[in-house]
Amino acid sequence: MAKSDSELVHIDRIDRQILEHLQRDGGLTNQQLAERVGLSPSPCSRRVKALEEAGIILGRKTLLERRKLGLSLTVILQIGMDRHTPERFQEFEEQVATCPEVQELYLITGQQADYILKVVVPDMEHYQQFLLNKITRITGVSGVHSSFVLRRVIDSTALPLGYLS
């Protein structure tokens, strides 16, 4: 496998199976993973280590059920900036990165907004505090449009590995 971030890494059938299983359940032991992909534990462990070293496996995370933790409001924010300069964008991104409510942040094109944020908070009162005390106080924010998620239809972190050869 190549180790450069700029190069595509060749993935064979076994590597793809490893990635598919780990995307579904990152808590699998090496023994369980090896059994599922038809390898003995040592070669399976070597392959996982190689995928990590190649920068394909970035880490393993535990997914939490937000509603059971009282985080029932998900908001998609579209943010417009007053100036389109690298300094303005950098300042905005650095400020937003300090907000634990923000799960995703995208710099976009093709819309009137410059950024899209996915925000999770307990309720509307907390969202109002987040919006007024954090987002609108960031220098350069010129417009905010909030959309409230009614229902999560698809909420996946798994990448579509079927495109890999």
Side-chain angles (χ1 to χ4, degrees), residues 120-137:
V120 175
V121 291
D123 52 35
M124 191 62 77
E125 182 180 334
H126 284 90
Y127 175 66
Q128 182 179 350
Q129 292 172 11
F130 168 77
L131 180 64
L132 297 178
N133 296 327
K134 292 183 180 179
I135 295 300
T136 60
R137 294 185 185 270

Side-chain angles (χ1 to χ4, degrees), residues 60-118:
R60 299 185 194 191
K61 297 180 181 180
T62 300
L63 300 175
L64 307 176
E65 175 50 58
R66 59 188 88 179
R67 289 181 195 255
K68 290 188 178 187
L69 296 170
L71 298 168
S72 57
L73 184 62
T74 301
V75 185
I76 306 299
L77 274 152
Q78 294 182 27
I79 305 288
M81 301 298 290
D82 63 352
R83 291 198 317 250
H84 296 143
T85 64
E87 298 80 21
R88 188 66 100 206
F89 286 166
Q90 180 179 352
E91 182 179 350
F92 176 80
E93 292 168 14
E94 287 172 357
Q95 291 290 317
V96 170
T98 68
C99 301
E101 300 89 348
V102 177
Q103 288 197 307
E104 299 176 35
L105 171 63
Y106 299 100
L107 176 61
I108 63 167
T109 186
Q111 298 287 321
Q112 289 186 350
D114 297 301
Y115 287 97
I116 291 182
L117 289 74
K118 177 180 170 186

Side-chain angles (χ1 to χ4, degrees), residues 1 11 14 21 52 82-83 90 100 103 106 110 112 122 124 131 142 144 150 156:
M1 280 188 230
I11 301 294
I14 300 288
H21 284 289
E52 290 170 341
D82 63 352
R83 291 198 317 250
Q90 180 179 352
Q103 288 197 307
Y106 299 100
Q112 289 186 350
M124 191 62 77
L131 180 64
S142 63
V144 178
L150 298 176
S156 175

Side-chain angles (χ1 to χ4, degrees), residues 19-33:
L19 294 173
E20 286 172 347
H21 284 289
L22 288 177
Q23 282 193 120
R24 273 187 246 124
D25 184 357
L28 290 172
T29 65
N30 185 58
Q31 178 70 37
Q32 292 168 323
L33 181 60

